[in-house]
């Protein structure tokens, strides 16, 4: 039983070994028969159970290496299993997040896409008169007719009397996007401008007769299609797309960008436009902005001309607000704008999807604000009725040709563009081989409070 007696002695040996000094190893003798060289059974050497060995320094117990054929052990197996379990749940969680995000994105896309209303009747009417319409001149240039409807039906009834659902075009703007997308020109057409309106199909299936009348009657006679054909007949410019925006849609878009800042020289108190504002710098919400662009009796001389100038200035400030605040590049800010805009729009089939509108906006987002220009077609009081307008020729035809051929135009404030007779002057006679026609207007970079 001598071999077994070594086992309980291990702790004592360990304790003893732990207190040995470097000189103790020399006390074993020069022959090397000490513990470090010649282990003796009973002192925790190879004779001990479990094959325990001691180091040459006698520094304490050592359990030695595991047998070569032993596995990683149960502890390591548990760690590996837990790691695999964690990775599996992480992958499942990531997949779930991706699916939820994709589903939410698709839902938002379908919601915005479903907001847009399509004007199929206008498309059918225009196809019927295709042979009369002008041809496109410059590839990739775009001409879009923006129509602000003054219908008092539905949610718009608080802005005036509903006379049975009839509507006129309160504001009409021809937006020309240059083929290189480096400029955009918005030309306002006065609603009281006297023009030749062609025959148009009315909602009651009858046909109106061709007549010389004020421009906004075209929308009442035959809706969007009649308005487009009237503009094409007057300008010779092919209208590629159209958008109709109602009152509430405009108001909601202003609210979606958190208001637009303007400056007023004088206070406004206009009960017809539901508007009361003090003088000075201020930010308008959607309801106030709507009243501001519609008011005419209490601001300036009460003319539609001044109202159009005010509308152009406000739209320029709105464009500047959208671009300067990075709305187009910020999804959290872009969604409310898109939601308001798509709910406000009725478009032709070529612009009736979110993708179509996004492609249009994407092409415009890099246009510098000083190249987003606003002007009104050259006009003057109509000779037969001073409450109506007529085109000033040949200035109007020159402007139409520039836009039709995708050539540049320039705009300056009205007080910088007056000749001796007080009429709008054209810069066609300016020095240089290819002068750019200049018209009264402004651009989106203009600070209304510094004018």
């Amino acid at each position: 039983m001598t071999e077994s007696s070594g086992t309980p002695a291990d702790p004592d040996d360990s304790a003893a070994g732990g207190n040995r000094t470097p000189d103790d190893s020399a006390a074993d003798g020069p022959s090397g028969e000490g513990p470090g060289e010649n282990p003796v059974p009973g002192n925790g050497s190879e004779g001990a159970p479990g094959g325990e060995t001691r180091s040459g320094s006698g520094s304490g117990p050592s359990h030695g290496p595991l047998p070569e054929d032993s596995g990683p052990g149960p502890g390591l197996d548990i760690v590996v299993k837990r790691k695999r379990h964690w990775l599996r749940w992480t992958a499942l969680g990531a997949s779930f997040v991706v699916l939820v995000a994709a589903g939410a994105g698709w839902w938002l896309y379908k919601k915005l896409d479903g907001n847009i209303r399509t004007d199929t009747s206008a498309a059918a009417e225009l196809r019927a008169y295709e042979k009369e319409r002008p041809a496109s001149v410059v590839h990739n240039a775009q001409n879009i007719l923006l129509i602000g409807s003054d219908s008092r039906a539905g949610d718009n009834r608080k802005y005036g009397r509903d006379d049975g659902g009839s509507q006129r075009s309160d504001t009409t703007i021809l937006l020309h996007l240059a083929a290189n997308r480096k400029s955009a020109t918005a030309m306002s057409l006065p609603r009281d401008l006297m023009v030749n309106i062609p025959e148009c199909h009315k909602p009651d299936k009858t046909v109106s007769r061709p007549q010389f009348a004020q421009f906004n009657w075209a929308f009442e006679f035959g809706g969007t299609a009649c308005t487009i054909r009237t503009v094409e007949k007057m300008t010779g410019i092919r209208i590629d797309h159209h958008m109709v925006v109602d009152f509430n849609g405009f108001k909601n878009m202003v609210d979606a960008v958190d208001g637009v800042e303007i400056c007023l020289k004088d206070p406004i108190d206009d009960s017809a436009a539901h508007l009361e504002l003090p003088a000075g710098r201020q930010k308008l919400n959607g309801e106030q902005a709507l009243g501001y662009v519609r008011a005419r009796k209490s601001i300036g001389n009460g003319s539609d001309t001044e109202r159009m100038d005010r509308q152009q200035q406000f739209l320029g400030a709105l464009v500047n607000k959208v671009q300067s605040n990075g709305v187009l590049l910020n999804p959290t800010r872009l969604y409310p704008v898109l939601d308001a805009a798509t709910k406000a729009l009725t478009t032709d089939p070529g612009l009736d999807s979110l993708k179509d509108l996004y492609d249009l906006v994407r092409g415009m987002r890099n246009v510098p604000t000083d190249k987003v220009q606003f002007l009104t077609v050259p006009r003057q009081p109509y000779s037969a009725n001073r409450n109506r307008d007529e085109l000033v020729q040949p200035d109007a035809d020159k402007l139409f040709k520039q836009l039709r051929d995708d050539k540049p135009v320039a705009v300056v404030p009205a007080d910088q563009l007056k000749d001796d007779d007080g009429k709008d002057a054209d810069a066609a006679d300016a020095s240089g081989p290819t002068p750019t026609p200049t018209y009264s207007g402004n651009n989106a970079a203009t600070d209304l409070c510094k004018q």
Side-chain angles (χ1 to χ4, degrees):
M1 300 296 292
T2 56
E3 290 183 358
S4 62
S5 63
T7 302
D10 281 346
D12 294 337
D13 287 351
S14 175
N19 294 325
R20 294 176 68 180
T21 65
D23 292 338
D24 291 337
S25 60
D28 291 332
S31 62
E33 295 178 355
E37 294 291 341
N38 217 356
V40 178
N43 289 328
S45 64
E46 59 187 0
E52 294 180 352
T53 61
R54 291 200 180 268
S55 65
S57 62
S59 59
S62 173
H63 295 285
L66 293 171
E68 293 182 359
D69 58 347
S70 62
L76 187 56
D77 285 341
I78 293 174
V79 171
V80 171
K81 289 180 179 178
R82 286 179 177 175
K83 185 175 182 180
R84 290 175 179 171
H85 187 71
W86 180 83
L87 289 174
R88 185 182 302 112
W89 278 106
T90 300
L92 289 173
S95 300
F96 178 75
V97 170
V98 169
L99 288 174
V100 170
W106 178 248
W107 181 84
L108 291 175
Y109 179 90
K110 295 299 291 183
K111 180 180 183 297
L112 294 174
D113 201 56
N115 287 342
I116 306 169
R117 295 179 295 274
T118 308
D119 187 359
T120 55
S121 60
E125 178 83 354
L126 292 173
R127 281 195 300 269
Y129 291 94
E130 179 62 35
K131 292 182 180 180
E132 300 179 7
R133 302 182 65 194
S136 297
V137 176
V138 179
H139 176 67
N140 208 36
Q142 293 277 300
N143 295 296
I144 304 170
L145 198 64
L146 309 176
I147 302 173
S149 169
D150 71 350
S151 169
R152 302 307 200 273
D155 293 336
N156 293 333
R157 64 170 55 92
K158 69 178 179 179
Y159 300 112
R161 180 176 58 85
D162 181 8
D163 53 0
S166 66
Q167 56 183 353
R168 295 184 179 92
S169 53
D170 187 71
T171 300
T172 303
I173 297 175
L174 176 58
L175 175 63
H176 173 77
L177 304 180
N180 61 10
R181 296 301 189 268
K182 292 184 178 179
S183 67
T185 302
M187 180 182 71
S188 293
L189 298 169
R191 67 179 190 173
D192 294 332
L193 183 67
M194 299 302 293
V195 297
N196 289 303
I197 301 176
E199 66 173 29
C200 298
H201 287 88
K202 296 182 177 181
D204 62 2
K205 307 303 181 182
T206 62
V207 179
S208 65
R209 61 179 176 83
Q211 57 191 291
F212 186 68
Q214 63 188 71
F215 173 65
N216 68 337
W217 284 15
F219 196 69
E220 183 179 10
F221 288 162
T224 306
C226 192
T227 302
I228 290 174
R229 292 176 57 224
T230 301
V231 172
E232 290 183 338
K233 185 177 182 67
M234 174 176 57
T235 65
I237 297 172
R238 171 81 175 208
I239 303 302
D240 301 297
H241 300 289
H242 71 268
M243 299 181 185
V244 179
V245 184
D246 66 15
F247 287 162
N248 271 290
F250 172 81
K251 180 180 67 175
N252 292 337
M253 281 189 284
V254 174
D255 284 334
V257 298
D258 193 29
V260 175
E261 191 173 79
I262 64 166
C263 281
L264 296 176
K265 294 180 180 179
D266 302 301
I268 299 175
D269 187 0
D270 191 325
S271 58
H274 304 278
L275 184 66
E276 184 175 352
L277 296 172
R281 181 187 291 266
Q282 55 203 290
K283 184 167 69 171
L284 303 186
N285 61 29
E287 188 72 32
Q288 293 170 324
L290 179 59
Y292 179 70
V293 298
R294 293 182 61 241
R296 59 186 295 182
K297 298 179 181 179
S298 61
I299 304 179
N301 60 14
S303 69
D304 197 46
T305 297
E306 282 201 0
R307 184 173 72 154
M308 283 187 299
D309 292 341
R310 192 164 61 251
Q311 290 171 349
Q312 293 169 6
Q313 292 171 355
F314 186 86
L315 289 175
L318 177 60
V319 170
N320 196 19
K321 176 73 178 286
V322 170
Q323 289 199 357
S324 63
N325 284 19
V327 172
L328 298 179
L329 301 177
N330 186 337
T332 59
R333 302 196 64 184
L334 178 60
Y335 176 78
V337 177
L338 289 176
D339 188 44
T342 51
K343 286 179 179 177
L345 294 179
T346 300
T347 76
D348 63 278
L351 284 181
D352 67 346
S353 73
L354 191 61
K355 179 183 182 302
D356 295 327
L357 291 176
Y358 175 77
D359 290 341
L360 178 66
V361 173
R362 184 178 60 180
M364 293 182 61
R365 69 183 180 187
N366 293 326
V367 178
T369 52
D370 63 338
K371 293 299 182 181
V372 180
Q373 302 181 126
F374 298 87
L375 68 147
T376 301
V377 61
R379 84 283 185 210
Q380 62 189 9
Y382 178 42
S383 57
N385 184 346
R386 305 291 290 182
N387 293 321
R388 301 290 180 262
D389 289 325
E390 64 183 4
L391 295 176
V392 174
Q393 296 295 4
D395 295 353
D397 282 345
K398 288 181 180 179
L399 174 59
F400 299 154
K401 181 172 175 29
Q402 289 294 112
L403 298 180
R404 185 168 58 244
D405 296 339
D406 197 31
K407 299 292 180 61
V409 298
V411 298
V412 296
D415 57 1
Q416 298 180 24
L417 194 67
K418 295 291 182 181
D419 62 11
D420 294 337
D421 296 329
K423 296 179 181 179
D424 286 352
D426 194 329
D429 57 351
S431 61
T434 55
T436 299
T438 304
Y439 300 90
S440 172
N442 64 87
N443 61 61
T446 302
D447 188 341
L448 303 182
C449 294
K450 293 183 179 179
Q451 290 186 321

